Amino acid sequence: EDQVTQSPEALRLQEGESSSLNCSYTVSGLRGLFWYRQDPGKGPEFLFTLYSAGEEKEKERLKATLTKKESFLHITAPKPEDSATYLCAVDDSWGKLQFGAGTQVVVTP
Amino acid sequence: DADVTQTPRNRITKTGKRIMLECSQTKGHDRMYWYRQDPGLGLRLIYYSFDVKDINKGEISDGYSVSRQAQAKFSLSLESAIPNQTALYFCATSDYLGTGSPDTQYFGPGTRLTVL
């Protein structure tokens, strides 16, 4: 059975304290891995798509990487505005996404 | 204006009532989706539609039905609401690129539904 597991469930960081979030997956025929950011009371906001092992993408303080079994979202020198829940999802067939449960990140000043 | 809108944003109802959640989009996308989100479980796909005449069940379709009234409108109905359908409901859209790469889904703001 296809699975997407995110860890840790929650992460508390001091401003400027870099860290990484993990997304491991067990889907066959991965077509793409997505990262979304979700703020409380809002819908998920698209961040990145990764298509193949070795690929990396960056946006401001966020950098996403992909291997054959997992993806990492690195947060470099986070600021309080980076506080959110980060969701990982995999596309294993046409247009269908399977989501992980998310990692809730809190960045304190 | 938001590209994907959902109405209502919040709804409290009673067990056994029929509820309709509506989604509209101005992105011009052919594909639309309904998800529910529960704490600790992530987003789960309820139904999806790749065009007006194509509707498919997702992972958790029991107790739900959908209607695709137009390219821009996709409604989710709970025929007889029950308390365990209390959740956040999200609509999403995507544009079929036809390149072999997966579509990117864009989400609406969500509807918080409480069934008492």
Side-chain angles (χ1 to χ4, degrees):
Chain A
E1 182 180 322
D2 298 339
Q3 286 193 327
V4 180
T5 304
Q6 291 188 247
S7 62
E9 292 183 8
L11 189 59
R12 192 173 186 90
L13 301 171
Q14 292 279 345
E15 184 172 2
E17 178 188 1
S18 301
S19 189
S20 295
L21 316 182
N22 178 265
C23 171
S24 63
Y25 60 92
T26 57
V27 297
S28 58
L30 177 74
R31 298 197 318 127
L33 185 142
F34 295 80
W35 282 99
Y36 286 85
R37 169 193 170 121
Q38 186 176 21
D39 293 303
K42 296 189 176 182
E45 176 188 346
F46 170 71
L47 292 173
F48 305 110
T49 310
L50 301 167
Y51 297 101
S52 58
E55 188 175 3
E56 299 182 349
K57 289 194 176 173
E58 291 188 64
K59 181 179 181 179
E60 296 181 354
R61 294 175 293 282
L62 301 178
K63 179 179 178 180
T65 62
L66 181 65
T67 72
K68 288 187 177 179
K69 294 185 177 180
E70 58 192 350
S71 176
F72 293 92
L73 184 65
H74 308 277
I75 310 178
T76 301
K79 298 182 177 181
E81 52 263 42
D82 295 321
S83 297
T85 295
Y86 291 87
L87 303 173
C88 166
V90 296
D91 181 309
D92 58 356
S93 60
W94 291 98
K96 290 170 62 181
L97 291 182
Q98 186 160 346
F99 281 84
T103 294
Q104 183 179 24
V105 175
V106 174
V107 182
T108 56
Chain B
D1 289 340
D3 294 320
V4 184
T5 57
Q6 293 185 234
T7 56
R9 293 296 314 280
N10 288 283
R11 181 72 184 267
I12 299 174
T13 191
K14 295 182 178 180
T15 297
K17 295 291 188 180
R18 184 179 189 275
I19 298 296
M20 179 179 286
L21 309 182
E22 298 184 328
C23 176
S24 295
Q25 52 112 348
T26 59
K27 299 178 79 70
H29 290 172
D30 287 325
R31 299 182 169 191
M32 298 186 74
Y33 312 79
W34 275 105
Y35 291 88
R36 67 176 278 175
Q37 187 175 40
D38 299 277
L41 292 180
L43 287 153
R44 291 181 292 168
L45 183 63
I46 305 173
Y47 271 95
Y48 61 104
S49 170
F50 284 172
D51 65 40
V52 175
K53 295 183 179 180
D54 177 71
I55 292 178
N56 304 280
K57 293 182 178 180
E59 179 187 353
I60 53 163
S61 58
D62 287 349
Y64 302 94
S65 62
V66 291
S67 173
R68 184 83 184 266
Q69 299 95 327
Q71 185 204 38
K73 295 184 182 297
F74 193 34
S75 300
L76 177 72
S77 294
L78 288 66
E79 297 300 327
S80 179
I82 55 177
N84 77 359
Q85 291 177 314
T86 294
L88 274 170
Y89 289 84
F90 290 100
C91 173
T93 74
S94 70
D95 190 19
Y96 175 60
L97 302 175
T99 62
S101 296
D103 311 340
T104 297
Q105 293 186 20
Y106 298 92
F107 286 80
T111 295
R112 183 175 296 277
L113 177 66
T114 302
V115 183
L116 302 176

